[in-house]
Amino acid sequence: MKHLEKGISLKHAPADFIRDLDVDNVSAGIVAGLFGISASVIHVGAGTAAGLDPQFIMIWVIAYLMINGLFGLIMPAYYRLPLPMANSIPGALLFAAIIPVVGVEAALGASLIAGAISLVAGLAGVMGIVMKLIPMPIVMGMVGGILLKFGLNMVAPLENAMLPAAIMILAFFLSARFLRRVPPLIVAMLAGIAYMAYAGIDFSGVAFSVTFPEFIVPTFTLEAFLAYGLPLALILVGMETPAGVGLVKGMGYKQVPANAITAVGGFATMISSFFNLHSTCIAAPMTGICSSPEAGRPDKRWVAAVIAGAIFVAGAPFYGYVISLIEAMPSYFVAIVAGLALLKVITSAMYMTFAGGKHEMGGLFAFLIAASGLQILGIGASFWALVLGVFISLIFETSDFEFIRRAAHEPGA
Amino acid sequence: MRRFKDWSIPAVTAGFVAVLVSYAGPLAIFFQAAQSADVSPAMMTSWVWAISMGAAVSGIFLSVWLKAPVVTAWSAPGTALLVTLFPELSLNEAVGAYLTAALIIFAIGVTGTFDRLMQAIPRGIAAGMMAGILFQFGLGAFQAIEGTPVLALGMLMAYLVFKRLMPRYCLILLLLTGAGLAIGLEDASLDGVGWQLASPVFIAPEWSWHATLSLAIPLVLVSLTGQFLPGMAIMREAGYAASARSIISVTSLTSLVTALFGGITTVVAAITAAICTGKDAHEDPDKRYVAGIANGLFYLVGSCFAGAIVALFAALPGAFVAVLAGLALIGAISANIMTAIEAEDHREASVITFLVTASGLSLFGLGAAFWGVVIGCVAYALLHRHYRKRRTYCQLPLGK
């Protein structure tokens, strides 16, 4: 356990939570929570495309909200850092694709092993080495490429919902400039809600329902492990943690518990596998929202992550209800709010990719590949962005790698 | 020819690739317009003859005169306008509108209005717009991997190998490898390509209010915002201080002549300009003008064999061109993103410009490049401009 970083403590967390609560981190937390719930459309889409039973998709998503949310309460509260927990989106796509091939139990067995690998990696303290192998500009190139989509999605509504989109975006900019007390995000949301109230929304599709996660016993097969478990383990250790840690570090936090994030994510993934859920890990877009300057003072941004976790847990049983509510809202609303919340994060990710003068080419390729949404062998763009980015950087920018440069300078090493 | 020693293979290749990319990409839209106008193959050949000749003459002249890689082409967003207007619009009316548009653009160029406009746009915003346009080509290279994995990955690998071992000849080697792969793997056949000389067909212009309002005015707008604006920004970013006045004057005068043979307005190229103004064309910026001349010469060849060009590009697989264009623009993409992101006092406005342009937004018939600059400038005015007091929002905390 010596590699696990020590946090502050959970004892005073509730009191400190109330002390640190402010408008900025509450609004960022709400946006992150909303964003996390609305990300479930990816699960629903991937599951439906893979021909999974709607009932199964429902308990899958509910497990993700419940379990991710619980760990999302603990991690930020213990470390007092904006570390919201969610699940791996590339992992979700793989999971949905593998179920028809090997069955739910075997897929979850592979998840369990992937979680165990991640737990061991965190406990053994290898994250320092992993992070050195994957240099920051390349990680940030990948993160920037992934997040870029949310920036582009913010612009798209200008075409088909110009008036509300323009109102929300202008409200954001104007309040950023002229209103001192109110977070621009809240102003943008209020402007959007005001417009919707004026234009009227159809709530007839909203239906109330309550569902809970279901217990299941995983089984183990080699096929499921090779096709899904191993890639998932690589994604968790080699991509999700570096992306999350990179983002938080990029926002100016010095000490980020990379090993603990990996270990806790692994442990949580093992638990997840008993409840029809493929993984629990740090989530890049939500981390971006919670750790961004939009979430207020740096030492209080952890509150945003806790709120996002609380929204997950509270929303889980009523997921059916919540999602029908989100579906009733025009799609531009969440798209614009998420895009605005991520604007600074995208900017700083691009800055860290391109302005350092190191790993420029690897970073650029990682950025382009991640943004292209390319999918090879069922694995998503973010993974290939890292692999190819590092590969290209090793070819063209060998001397930018710290450990290679050091090895070259120390002949004895 | 004392200057003959300035000629280099990378510069000539850059010129060639630029021609290849614009024939392969934007020309397709012109074909589409020709189809909607239901013109004969001879007329279509004349159109291709005219636009190529316009690009060739103005490009060579400007590159030699200004000793800078000035790459010209036809107005790509303008051809998109045509698609929707034909067949209601007659060919004669279209030619009349081309002439009107050329005259208006000439007037705007010669008075220096455009130069003043360009100078008013903050540097990061111009770079953000360029990065946004070029970005889509970069994405296209990787998106091609899903549809045609062997060709695209083969070209990508070839690019990496050549770039590492022979960076000077990377582009030409990539071109040859790609063409080989396209013929070997994708069954691209060059059988239908015949090499007869093209002959231009004269079209008598006819002026009408309808054509002026629906074609000439929009053509001026999209050419200035969609071509001259990014094209001049590219030149400026690459460090060439060419004035828009001389370039616009030459291209619009060229347009007056080529219009009579069905050639839509000649303008400064944007995407393909980036291929010729970058480091890949030549290490020494003073010798990149050769790429501009080569580009013109290849257009001249293309113009003479316009019929063959039409057949040739119907034969090449789309993925080949997508990957080639994307990889040829890699350097330009990162250079422009870097300029946009390094604009410290208006970084966010630059990123917003980038996002809007990259999103491909199209409103009221005007393209993403225009809206990128407009929305970027609004963001600049709202977020960054000093009116009195500076708010903390402008400062982005960044880790080291």
Side-chain angles (χ1 to χ4, degrees), chain B residues 160-243:
Chain B
L160 293 177
V161 171
F162 296 140
K163 183 93 187 160
R164 175 75 207 183
L165 300 178
M166 287 170 272
R168 261 173 77 79
Y169 305 106
C170 176
L171 215 48
I172 182 82
L173 291 171
L174 175 67
L175 183 69
L176 294 174
T177 316
L181 285 173
I183 293 168
L185 294 169
E186 304 290 326
D187 292 327
S189 153
L190 304 179
D191 292 342
V193 184
W195 299 97
Q196 307 102 330
L197 280 179
S199 52
V201 183
F202 179 79
I203 308 166
E206 189 187 309
W207 195 87
S208 74
W209 273 113
H210 165 67
T212 308
L213 292 178
S214 63
L215 180 57
I217 303 283
L219 188 56
V220 170
L221 264 181
V222 297
S223 300
L224 288 177
T225 59
Q227 297 275 177
F228 284 107
L229 184 67
M232 292 310 299
I234 275 275
M235 301 267 302
R236 201 168 64 160
E237 286 314 312
Y240 297 99
S243 83

Side-chain angles (χ1 to χ4, degrees), chain B residues 1 308 354 376 389:
Chain B
M1 282 300 266
F354 170 72
K389 227 192 255 163

Side-chain angles (χ1 to χ4, degrees), chain B residues 129-167:
Chain B
M129 168 197 62
M130 262 339 290
I133 298 177
L134 299 174
F135 178 74
Q136 292 163 333
F137 287 83
L139 284 195
F142 294 102
Q143 280 158 347
I145 294 179
E146 271 183 54
T148 44
V150 186
L151 176 65
L153 284 174
M155 285 179 73
L156 185 63
M157 286 311 296
Y159 172 80
L160 293 177
V161 171
F162 296 140
K163 183 93 187 160
R164 175 75 207 183
L165 300 178
M166 287 170 272

Side-chain angles (χ1 to χ4, degrees), chain B residues 5 29-30 34 36 62 70 160 217 227 252 267 306 369 371 386:
Chain B
K5 63 176 187 325
I29 313 169
F30 207 37
S36 60
L62 285 166
V70 184
L160 293 177
I217 303 283
Q227 297 275 177
S252 49
V267 293
W371 292 114
H386 291 260

Side-chain angles (χ1 to χ4, degrees), chain A residues 27-101:
Chain A
S27 63
I30 292 172
V31 172
L34 256 182
F35 176 88
I37 293 179
S38 63
S40 63
V41 295
I42 300 172
H43 302 68
V44 174
T48 313
L52 304 184
D53 177 24
Q55 195 54 40
F56 170 79
I57 298 176
M58 188 77 160
I59 56 169
W60 176 27
V61 174
I62 282 163
Y64 111 46
L65 292 175
M66 188 65 100
I67 297 172
N68 296 170
L70 279 175
F71 283 92
L73 287 174
I74 298 166
M75 282 298 278
Y78 180 63
Y79 285 102
R80 306 289 160 88
L81 286 170
L83 304 172
M85 302 298 264
N87 59 87
S88 167
I89 296 291
L93 300 177
L94 276 177
F95 181 64
I98 200 73
I99 291 175
V101 186

Side-chain angles (χ1 to χ4, degrees), chain A residues 159 176-177 179 375 395, chain B residues 146 164 362 382 385 387 391:
Chain A
E159 233 169 273
R177 178 90 195 197
L179 295 177
Q375 211 167 335
I395 299 179
Chain B
E146 271 183 54
R164 175 75 207 183
S362 160
L382 283 180
R385 249 188 93 187
Y387 295 102
R391 225 194 92 101

Side-chain angles (χ1 to χ4, degrees), chain A residues 83 143 239-249 256 261 282-284 287:
Chain A
L83 304 172
V143 170
M239 194 203 98
E240 299 290 2
T241 306
V245 172
L247 266 171
V248 178
K249 274 193 175 160
V256 186
I261 289 173
I282 190 161
T287 309

Side-chain angles (χ1 to χ4, degrees), chain A residues 382-397:
Chain A
S382 40
F383 181 75
W384 297 114
L386 278 190
V387 171
L388 283 171
V390 171
F391 174 69
I392 285 166
S393 201
L394 274 173
I395 299 179
F396 291 97
E397 298 153 334

